[in-house]
Amino acid sequence: MSKTSKRLLVIFIILVIAIVSIFITYKISFEPKIQVKSINSEVELNPKKIMKKLIPNNIDLNLSGIEFKSSSSFTGNEITDLIIYSINNSNINTENLNGIRAIINDNQLLLYINFDYKGIPLQAISNFTVKANNNNAILHYNYTKVGFITIPKSYIFNYIQNNSILSKDEVNNNIIISLTKDYGISIKNVSLTNRKLNIELESKFNF
């Protein structure tokens, strides 16, 4: 075998090894593995159904005024539907977005996002924890990864637009949900237990 043939053979073997390595890396780390719900699906949860879930189930009437309290729970499927509904009723570009799924695991909210990058199907995972603070719900952002690659938080926060209900605190990695200004409702507690998002609300009217 001539030197040229040997060099070509070596180059060919290197190329095959590189292609196989890339393919294996994609299959192991980047190929979507968690089943998600299509972004074009009809959702079962909408704002009207949410309001029904938040109807006060405890009313306290006294000399100073009236106090309403409610407690509700949302499953991962309901959170998924709410996110899809919100995206489809916003200006977010969903051209490359295929599907989403929210999963509650212990005290963490995991958001799986399927999307295409240059025609290649990929899956990102965002990790959040929750708490209540100053009558608001705090969604604390931990990370977003595609495979073993960590996505800069600025990329995620750039998609969040501040309004009377939703605001972002990028310095502290927090997304803040407030119902006080528009609805006069205080969020007293938020937790992730039994694979559900649990919320306790309170509203007071003084005489």
Side-chain angles (χ1 to χ4, degrees), residues 59-78:
I59 301 176
D60 181 20
L61 179 63
N62 53 56
L63 295 177
S64 61
I66 185 169
E67 184 178 278
F68 299 92
K69 294 182 179 180
S70 67
S71 57
S72 299
S73 297
F74 295 87
T75 65
N77 289 337
E78 289 175 324

Side-chain angles (χ1 to χ4, degrees), residues 115 123-127 141 143-151:
F115 65 99
Q123 185 171 79
I125 175 173
S126 293
N127 181 294
Y141 172 82
Y143 63 80
T144 294
K145 289 186 176 182
V146 178
F148 51 77
I149 300 173
T150 300
I151 305 301

Side-chain angles (χ1 to χ4, degrees), residues 14-204:
I14 292 173
L15 286 174
V16 170
I17 292 174
I19 292 171
V20 171
S21 298
I22 292 172
F23 177 77
I24 292 174
T25 301
Y26 169 76
K27 296 295 287 187
I28 293 176
S29 299
F30 295 94
E31 184 182 43
K33 294 179 177 61
I34 301 298
Q35 185 175 359
V36 299
K37 187 168 185 176
S38 171
I39 196 69
N40 298 317
S41 300
E42 290 189 12
V43 299
E44 299 177 1
L45 191 68
N46 55 51
K48 290 183 179 179
K49 290 187 177 181
I50 293 175
M51 293 307 297
K52 288 182 179 179
K53 291 175 71 73
L54 300 178
I55 291 176
N57 47 29
N58 188 347
I59 301 176
D60 181 20
L61 179 63
N62 53 56
L63 295 177
S64 61
I66 185 169
E67 184 178 278
F68 299 92
K69 294 182 179 180
S70 67
S71 57
S72 299
S73 297
F74 295 87
T75 65
N77 289 337
E78 289 175 324
I79 296 172
T80 299
D81 282 354
L82 180 58
I83 293 172
I84 291 176
Y85 178 88
S86 300
I87 290 175
N88 288 334
N89 287 274
S90 70
N91 295 322
I92 295 177
N93 183 2
T94 61
E95 182 180 355
N96 296 315
L97 184 62
N98 298 324
I100 289 177
R101 183 181 179 186
I103 295 178
I104 298 170
N105 185 15
D106 295 329
N107 64 337
Q108 298 178 329
L109 175 62
L110 306 176
L111 186 61
Y112 291 88
I113 306 166
N114 281 16
F115 65 99
D116 290 336
Y117 179 73
K118 295 186 176 180
I120 301 173
L122 299 172
Q123 185 171 79
I125 175 173
S126 293
N127 181 294
F128 300 89
T129 51
V130 301
K131 66 177 182 179
N133 186 45
N134 293 329
N135 296 321
N136 299 322
I138 307 296
L139 191 63
H140 182 74
Y141 172 82
N142 295 311
Y143 63 80
T144 294
K145 289 186 176 182
V146 178
F148 51 77
I149 300 173
T150 300
I151 305 301
K153 70 175 183 179
S154 58
Y155 183 82
I156 305 301
F157 277 82
N158 285 341
Y159 278 95
I160 301 172
Q161 302 297 322
N162 290 334
N163 54 47
S164 59
I165 295 176
L166 194 70
S167 60
K168 56 184 175 182
D169 176 7
E170 189 171 349
V171 174
N172 294 307
N173 292 358
N174 289 333
I175 301 168
I176 304 167
I177 301 171
S178 177
L179 302 176
T180 305
K181 183 178 180 180
D182 285 357
Y183 304 102
I185 298 174
S186 299
I187 302 175
K188 307 305 292 185
N189 189 41
V190 183
S191 63
L192 297 169
T193 55
N194 299 322
R195 296 188 178 275
K196 291 182 179 181
L197 172 65
N198 307 296
I199 303 175
E200 295 180 11
L201 306 177
E202 183 180 287
S203 182
K204 295 181 179 180

